[in-house]
Amino acid sequence: DGKVTQSSRYLVKRTGEKVFLECVQDMDHENMFWYRQDPGLGLRLIYFSYDVKMKEKGDIPEGYSVSREKKERFSLILESASTNQTSMYLCASSLMGASGYEQYFGPGTRLTVT
Amino acid sequence: AQTVTQSQPEMSVQEAETVTLSCTYDTSESDYYLFWYKQPPSRQMILVIRQEAYKQQNATENRFSVNFQKAAKSFSLKISDSQLGDAAMYFCACTSRDDKIIFGKGTRLHILP
């Protein structure tokens, strides 16, 4: 079975720092996703990429940007971290087309911004 | 806008008993898929079961089955013979446009020994 890996399980950053969250998948999936998970709010889509160098805003893109230079890697960037970005961040990937394909998730990165 | 609603934030069930988690959804898509995902404590989210909307037959995976009521836009998950390893957050989800998925807010399931 393939895997989705995320660069860190836990991360602590200071307000104003630039933060990079990395995600790598080994399943040759076209689609990659970044979600934010908060208690009582479920998973909210931040950004979505369906191909290298292609990206699409999700429901809550403000304060975030993404980069996809290679098919297997999708990075989430917090340009200037703020305390309200303290959260669990989940990366996922899936095959493109025929939307019944499941999404495969990474283990998550719990980010704390102080 | 598409929505997925899980009305039970938390539930508890005795080990070996049966429990049903509720989910309703709203979509304007004519062709869509529904999912239940499981997120155990400190572990990765995994797919439990998938239902294709055009199929009338309810999906089953071992002890997990769904009750899919298309007209009512209801998609509940039944877990039979509950085990301690079933303790997790469960998310109901529905496909949206362009391979995206809309998730509900989750139901935390506790298994009582």
Side-chain angles (χ1 to χ4, degrees):
Chain A
D1 275 350
K3 284 179 67 173
V4 178
T5 57
Q6 295 183 229
S7 50
S8 306
R9 290 299 303 269
Y10 300 93
L11 209 53
V12 180
K13 295 292 181 180
R14 294 197 179 276
T15 302
E17 277 194 85
K18 190 169 185 175
V19 181
F20 293 86
L21 302 183
E22 305 285 339
C23 174
V24 177
Q25 50 93 5
D26 64 3
M27 293 171 280
D28 202 34
H29 285 170
E30 294 88 1
N31 298 329
M32 295 189 75
F33 308 83
W34 274 107
Y35 294 94
R36 174 175 170 158
Q37 182 180 6
D38 299 289
L41 297 179
L43 275 70
R44 294 178 291 168
L45 181 65
I46 304 172
Y47 266 98
F48 162 53
S49 170
Y50 53 89
D51 200 354
V52 175
K53 297 191 187 296
M54 306 303 288
K55 62 185 179 185
E56 187 176 308
K57 292 181 180 178
D59 300 317
I60 51 165
E62 297 78 19
Y64 304 96
S65 63
V66 290
S67 171
R68 193 161 179 205
E69 297 296 320
K70 293 185 178 181
K71 188 176 185 180
E72 67 270 19
R73 188 180 297 269
F74 191 35
S75 302
L76 180 69
I77 303 155
L78 287 66
E79 294 289 341
S80 178
S82 64
T83 54
N84 62 12
Q85 292 178 309
T86 291
S87 186
M88 171 70 87
Y89 290 88
L90 298 179
C91 176
S93 71
S94 73
L95 287 168
M96 176 184 259
S99 59
Y101 291 119
E102 71 177 277
Q103 291 187 10
Y104 292 82
F105 284 83
T109 295
R110 186 166 295 281
L111 173 67
T112 303
V113 183
T114 61
Chain B
Q2 288 179 261
T3 58
V4 176
T5 302
Q6 294 177 249
S7 58
Q8 306 147 315
E10 280 195 74
M11 294 187 72
S12 296
V13 63
Q14 209 74 36
E15 196 175 1
E17 297 293 309
T18 295
V19 63
T20 299
L21 280 59
S22 301
C23 173
T24 58
Y25 63 94
D26 192 15
T27 180
S28 56
E29 303 292 320
S30 56
D31 187 20
Y32 56 92
Y33 292 77
L34 296 160
F35 306 88
W36 278 98
Y37 280 86
K38 171 185 177 181
Q39 187 181 39
S42 301
R43 292 178 61 190
Q44 268 161 274
M45 184 108 70
I46 57 172
L47 179 69
V48 175
I49 200 164
R50 168 177 41 211
Q51 174 80 41
E52 297 162 81
Y54 67 87
K55 286 189 176 178
Q56 292 188 331
Q57 187 172 5
N58 290 324
T60 62
E61 287 287 344
N62 301 312
R63 297 182 295 106
F64 297 86
S65 61
V66 298
N67 184 3
F68 175 46
Q69 303 287 331
K70 190 172 185 178
K73 294 187 175 177
S74 169
F75 183 61
S76 60
L77 175 70
K78 185 171 85 171
I79 306 173
S80 303
D81 184 26
S82 298
Q83 300 175 1
L84 294 177
D86 295 334
M89 183 73 87
Y90 287 83
F91 291 96
C92 178
C94 178
T95 52
S96 175
R97 293 184 306 107
D98 302 331
D99 298 346
K100 289 182 277 193
I101 292 178
I102 306 297
F103 288 87
K105 294 182 179 181
T107 296
R108 184 171 297 282
L109 179 64
H110 302 277
I111 310 296
L112 306 174

